[in-house]
Amino acid sequence: MIDVLVVDDDFRVAEINAKYVGKVPGFRVAARAHSAAQALAAVQRGPIDLVLLDHYLPDETGLELVHRMREQGHGADVIMITAAGDVTTVQAAMRLGALHYLVKPFTFAALRTRLDSYAALRRTVDRVGGRGIAGQEQVDRIFGALRTTPVPASPGLPSGHSEPTTDLICDVLHHADHPLSAHEVAAETGLSRSTAQRYLRHLEQAGRLRLSLRYGDTGRPEHRYAWVAP
């Protein structure tokens, strides 16, 4: 599970954001904070993986808080969620390492897309990190995991399918040296088996995967999927 700290000076907004986070599989709200001081204390208590951070806080700005976190050695990732839409603040957030910047007001779908891409980033880093040294292809995959494409704007994807999750499953199949079952894809990606099966079925129907059957001694044959080179 990815532990999230929700930071917003408005108690109602913080509660709404926390409920949004709770609806995304793989994420849980570890703490809420309504000031920079509360947020820093929560990070110090830990463990916090991700901070959803408002910029306008009563004691200091969100970016000032990020700067203090980094000075104290706290490496929690940050997604800015704020009404601050000026270019100066956006640039400052980028320089401090914010992974995404979501301008209020926003929809649940917009937040989920960012959270999905963040989860894909962590999985990609975990896989690449096991190899010790990352070449350019692996580095490109790490940076590419942060791409966000809202679901309605993704051509060819059925309702309820996201581009980051599709890319994650394609990446696993592309680099597999043998066909994989839905259970194996779920284990590799951290998705549920039913979710993996749903995406695999769509990708197979779209011609991006090849389906084969493996028969055992008893029961129904196991569906296995292999990457189809374009």
Side-chain angles (χ1 to χ4, degrees), residues 26-164:
F27 291 82
R28 64 186 174 195
V29 176
R32 299 175 182 81
H34 309 292
S35 68
Q38 290 177 0
L40 187 60
V43 171
Q44 290 169 341
R45 288 193 302 269
I48 298 295
D49 300 307
L50 175 65
V51 182
L52 300 186
L53 181 60
D54 188 16
H55 182 58
Y56 297 122
L57 299 173
D59 44 355
E60 63 181 356
T61 68
L63 294 184
E64 289 170 341
L65 170 61
V66 175
H67 184 70
R68 284 212 291 154
M69 286 169 51
R70 300 299 181 244
E71 282 187 331
Q72 296 183 19
H74 300 300
D77 294 312
V78 174
I79 293 178
M80 298 296 296
I81 298 182
T82 177
D86 58 285
V87 175
T88 299
T89 302
V90 174
Q91 288 180 322
M94 293 174 62
R95 289 169 183 147
L96 285 171
L99 298 180
H100 286 298
Y101 197 106
L102 195 56
V103 180
K104 297 178 181 177
F106 59 91
T107 64
F108 168 65
L111 176 59
R112 176 161 190 168
T113 299
R114 273 75 180 175
L115 294 180
D116 282 343
S117 75
Y118 175 71
L121 169 67
R122 287 174 62 96
R123 289 190 292 265
T124 302
V125 170
D126 287 343
R127 289 200 304 274
V128 172
R131 303 171 188 171
I133 300 176
Q136 187 61 53
E137 180 183 351
Q138 287 75 32
V139 171
D140 289 343
R141 288 218 306 268
I142 291 173
F143 277 86
L146 280 176
R147 289 178 301 169
T148 57
T149 304
V151 172
S154 302
L157 287 182
S159 176
H161 286 59
S162 73
E163 192 77 22

Side-chain angles (χ1 to χ4, degrees), residues 142-215:
I142 291 173
F143 277 86
L146 280 176
R147 289 178 301 169
T148 57
T149 304
V151 172
S154 302
L157 287 182
S159 176
H161 286 59
S162 73
E163 192 77 22
T165 303
T166 301
D167 288 345
L168 174 64
I169 290 177
C170 288
D171 179 67
V172 168
L173 270 298
H174 187 201
H175 292 89
D177 56 6
H178 61 275
L180 300 179
S181 66
H183 177 77
E184 290 170 325
V185 171
E188 283 285 328
T189 59
L191 300 169
S192 69
R193 186 184 182 283
S194 61
T195 298
Q197 182 65 64
R198 180 159 48 89
Y199 278 81
L200 290 168
R201 189 180 301 113
H202 165 70
L203 290 168
E204 187 266 328
Q205 292 172 349
R208 298 174 69 179
L209 302 179
R210 181 178 66 254
L211 172 64
S212 61
L213 301 178
R214 186 170 73 177
Y215 291 86

